[in-house]
Amino acid sequence: MIENSWTPDQPLVSLNNVHKSFGDLEVLKGITLDVMKGEVICIIGPSGSGKSTLIRCINALNDIQAGSITVEGQEVHDPHLDKLELRKKVGMVFQQYNLFPHKTALENIMMAPLLVLKQSKDKVEERALTLIKKVRLEGKENSYPGELSGGQQQRVAIARSLAMNPDVMLFDEVTAALDPETVKEVLVTIKELAEDGMTCMLVTHEMGFAREVADHIYFTDRGVIVEHGPPATFFDQAQDPRTKEFLGQIL
Amino acid sequence: MISPNTIKSGKTDLPVLLPFKLHGATRTASDYWTEIISNKSFVIFILAVLSLWMLIDSAFAQVTGNPDQTLWDTIVKWTPLMMFGPKGEFGGFVLNIVVSFIAMGLGTFLGLWLGIGQVSPNNLIRRVSWVTTQLFRNSPWLVLLFYFMLLLPFRVELFGVDYDIPGWTKATFALSLPIMANVSEIVRGAIESIPTGQWESSESLAFSRSQTLWRIILPQCVKRMIPPWMNWYCILTMSTPLISILGVSDGMTLTQDALAAEGRSEYLIPMYLWLMSWFFAYSYPIAAWTRRLENKFVIGKGVL
């Protein structure tokens, strides 16, 4: 075991020349990016450009074929990787919420700290109630996912991830399955998280939101990062023709 | 003529295609029992059994002259034996039910593990579980019964003491094997029907595989598994008379014995009908309950 010499002034998440294939189809063709602690980055790009695959590789839901991904200095692309240790540090929220339908909102939030972190029930419940409040779902503690709207379910899913006290949160198109009127409540929740200093990586189609909250925007197309930069530069002075075309279609 | 009143009340004598009524969606447990008792097919069946007796009995009474014992007397005489077996022994219809209970319990327990084995990430476990499942799912039950009656010893020695293994326990074990295989398929199917998102979100919350399986996936499977599981219980119960072929004193064997003792071939049909009605009375409520659960899980809140 190599001793971990990571310090907080180094990138929290670092991808270096990452290649990922599904069979013969290469979806990531050498992605390199760094995320510092407290930074919020947004990954945008056309459908099928490998955005979701990219962030799924970071918590080892997908494996990679070449390159390196480190989270707090720990190599993810390592056959001896302790996936469970990695996933305690990396929270993830999905497009389809994926709440546990047989558990109430509160139980959904409490399960992982109880079972995985083996924390005491009182402590976990107290924290879960704080998180419910944070995502503005007071009164819904005992509702089952089936009784909640899409936006409410997604906020429970965010709280469920936060309950593990992750160092970085991954958001995989979390508003893509929502009704337009509930998108905002979820985005507000994420924005507050970002303001609290949580390191966030978002795959999103919400350009206005990306511009508002992101410290850095990455535009991917066909498995490569075409262009990146701070939102102001990226949106107003895009250089690459592919970026310009994409932004032209979307904005 | 359609009056405004007709339109308001929705009543008409015109042929109308009524909306398909979704049975079971709002029914309660008491409705369920009411339905069973008032169910036409149930009542018709019992009436058919009774009238067939009487018809055959009176017909034969005329043919044979003045029988010293009527069908009714015969049934009263033999029912305790057919139901509970010979005095001091364990047998009869009650044994059929006991065998069905034990075989179902054992088959479910083994089938659960086999079904989990079928979705194991370990290639070897998966292959072995699959082959075992297919083997016992596609073997005739009677052949399995013969194998285990002959293969298993009838007597074992444990710590210097000899124990007889009664035939019915071997038969029960044999019957549990096809149940095991079918439960294995039910479990595999239910696990595979849970969306992959449930696995992924559990994984990303750092649940281990066994935590995911036992805490997240299987609890969601239970509802889906209960109706097919109950179905297999009914099939098993109906199959328990197979053990009579192997000399176990179940309800079927004892009915045969009673008929042999009486030597009245004209009572063959009503006596077997009498036995059959017990199985029917036992199984029908379970089948009806299964149907009710199936409806409940398809419609409304039951869907996960």
Side-chain angles (χ1 to χ4, degrees):
Chain A
M1 196 83 187
I2 307 154
E3 203 177 307
N4 196 339
S5 57
W6 182 79
T7 53
D9 55 330
Q10 290 171 315
L12 202 149
V13 178
S14 177
L15 283 74
N16 192 6
N17 198 22
V18 169
H19 288 261
K20 161 78 188 165
S21 310
F22 291 107
D24 292 336
L25 181 72
E26 193 173 28
V27 281
L28 300 179
K29 301 169 187 167
I31 300 279
T32 300
L33 65 83
D34 285 339
V35 185
M36 302 302 290
K37 188 172 163 47
E39 213 177 11
V40 177
I41 70 144
C42 283
I43 303 162
I44 62 171
S47 300
S49 61
K51 310 181 295 287
S52 291
T53 310
L54 175 63
I55 67 165
R56 288 164 59 93
C57 290
I58 295 169
N59 73 345
L61 277 183
N62 287 349
D63 58 346
I64 62 171
Q65 273 68 51
S68 147
I69 299 175
T70 59
V71 175
E72 295 183 353
Q74 184 187 30
E75 179 57 57
V76 176
H77 184 208
D78 172 0
H80 305 296
L81 166 78
D82 184 349
K83 287 186 182 178
L84 300 187
E85 277 307 312
L86 169 76
R87 286 167 184 161
K88 286 178 193 170
K89 290 187 276 191
V90 183
M92 181 151 188
V93 185
F94 297 85
Q95 182 176 343
Q96 295 296 341
Y97 341 128
N98 297 344
L99 291 180
F100 306 133
H102 58 305
K103 299 277 176 186
T104 63
L106 193 66
E107 286 168 344
N108 261 280
I109 299 171
M110 289 171 63
M111 261 188 112
L114 283 176
L115 290 173
V116 178
L117 303 179
K118 317 270 187 219
Q119 292 171 346
S120 74
K121 192 165 184 278
D122 296 342
K123 194 181 152 199
V124 171
E125 186 163 0
E126 192 190 320
R127 173 147 169 80
L129 290 169
T130 319
L131 286 166
I132 287 259
K133 211 172 191 173
K134 194 180 169 74
V135 298
R136 297 195 187 80
L137 284 171
E138 294 107 316
K140 299 287 183 191
E141 292 87 351
N142 297 318
S143 302
Y144 284 90
E147 298 161 349
L148 299 173
S149 74
Q152 290 170 333
Q153 287 190 55
Q154 194 59 291
R155 282 181 283 154
V156 174
I158 293 171
R160 182 175 69 171
S161 271
L162 289 175
M164 291 290 283
N165 252 326
D167 295 336
V168 54
M169 288 280 286
L170 310 174
F171 295 89
D172 185 6
E173 301 194 34
V174 290
T175 56
L178 296 177
D179 297 328
E181 65 267 28
T182 56
V183 167
K184 205 178 163 217
E185 64 193 39
V186 172
L187 293 183
V188 166
T189 307
I190 300 174
K191 195 176 164 212
E192 284 170 358
L193 257 183
E195 283 163 359
D196 289 350
M198 175 62 77
T199 314
C200 297
M201 296 181 72
L202 297 101
V203 169
T204 187
H205 290 291
E206 302 287 334
M207 293 305 147
F209 176 71
R211 187 177 194 139
E212 199 182 339
V213 301
D215 297 310
H216 214 84
I217 310 264
Y218 289 86
F219 173 69
T220 60
D221 191 19
R222 289 170 226 159
V224 293
I225 292 173
V226 176
E227 193 165 358
H228 65 94
T233 339
F234 178 84
F235 284 108
D236 299 330
Q237 298 158 39
Q239 304 294 320
D240 193 277
R242 271 193 280 177
T243 319
K244 282 183 190 162
E245 194 196 333
F246 177 73
L247 291 176
Q249 282 165 353
I250 266 200
L251 295 178
Chain B
M1 188 58 74
I2 300 168
S3 72
N5 229 0
T6 311
I7 294 169
K8 210 184 275 174
S9 69
K11 280 180 187 156
T12 169
D13 54 356
L14 295 169
V16 177
L17 183 65
L18 292 167
F20 174 64
K21 194 180 159 211
L22 297 172
H23 286 287
T26 56
R27 287 187 297 176
T28 63
S30 70
D31 290 343
Y32 154 70
W33 285 108
T34 316
E35 181 207 316
I36 286 176
I37 291 158
S38 65
N39 188 292
K40 269 181 244 155
S41 61
F42 186 71
V43 174
I44 288 169
F45 179 82
I46 298 295
L47 283 179
V49 174
L50 287 169
S51 43
L52 239 130
W53 281 344
M54 298 314 156
L55 208 80
I56 294 169
D57 197 33
S58 59
F60 273 96
Q62 280 171 11
V63 172
T64 56
N66 200 15
D68 47 356
Q69 189 178 298
T70 62
L71 175 60
W72 181 249
D73 296 331
T74 313
I75 281 174
V76 169
K77 183 174 157 193
W78 292 105
T79 292
L81 180 79
M82 285 161 63
M83 183 67 90
F84 304 106
K87 272 210 171 62
E89 274 179 56
F90 189 34
F93 177 73
V94 171
L95 179 64
N96 289 75
I97 302 304
V98 169
V99 166
S100 76
F101 262 68
I102 299 173
M104 196 67 198
L106 188 61
T108 303
F109 177 77
L110 297 173
L112 177 65
W113 291 101
L114 203 57
I116 292 170
Q118 283 203 80
V119 295
S120 165
N122 181 311
N123 208 15
L124 182 70
I125 296 176
R126 206 168 55 241
R127 297 297 301 173
V128 169
S129 307
W130 183 82
V131 168
T132 313
T133 302
Q134 295 309 319
L135 180 69
F136 289 111
R137 212 161 85 99
N138 298 295
S139 303
W141 293 28
L142 192 55
V143 176
L144 289 175
L145 272 167
F146 269 108
Y147 268 133
F148 283 93
M149 289 308 267
L150 299 172
L151 286 178
L152 295 179
F154 59 88
R155 183 181 280 257
V156 285
E157 200 190 302
L158 266 183
F159 308 113
V161 186
D162 278 347
Y163 291 97
D164 284 338
I165 300 180
W168 70 267
T169 56
K170 289 197 270 183
T172 306
F173 181 71
L175 284 178
S176 75
L177 294 172
I179 293 300
M180 169 190 80
N182 284 291
V183 168
S184 166
E185 282 295 86
I186 292 171
V187 170
R188 182 191 58 80
I191 290 175
E192 285 176 355
S193 75
I194 302 293
T196 53
Q198 292 290 312
W199 287 95
E200 287 182 349
S201 61
S202 315
E203 272 181 65
S204 58
L205 287 168
F207 284 116
S208 68
R209 193 183 155 88
S210 76
Q211 281 174 331
T212 306
L213 191 65
W214 290 96
R215 301 295 193 130
I216 307 296
I217 305 298
L218 287 175
Q220 295 181 53
C221 291
V222 171
K223 273 188 178 180
R224 295 164 200 229
M225 293 190 297
I226 284 177
W229 180 80
M230 286 167 68
N231 230 341
W232 275 107
Y233 179 65
C234 284
I235 294 170
L236 169 68
T237 309
M238 296 308 103
S239 307
T240 52
L242 282 175
I243 64 180
S244 68
I245 300 172
L246 302 162
V248 178
S249 295
D250 76 322
M252 187 75 180
T253 305
L254 294 171
T255 308
Q256 280 166 344
D257 291 351
L259 282 164
E262 289 291 334
R264 305 259 310 247
S265 56
E266 71 271 24
Y267 287 168
L268 193 113
I269 290 173
M271 288 287 274
Y272 279 131
L273 262 174
W274 179 227
L275 177 71
M276 206 169 108
S277 72
W278 300 351
F279 279 98
F280 185 87
Y282 180 75
S283 239
Y284 182 79
I286 300 173
W289 191 19
T290 309
R291 208 173 51 237
R292 179 169 167 264
L293 287 177
E294 274 170 357
N295 285 331
K296 199 175 132 197
F297 293 158
V298 171
I299 305 151
K301 276 204 294 190
V303 182
L304 288 176

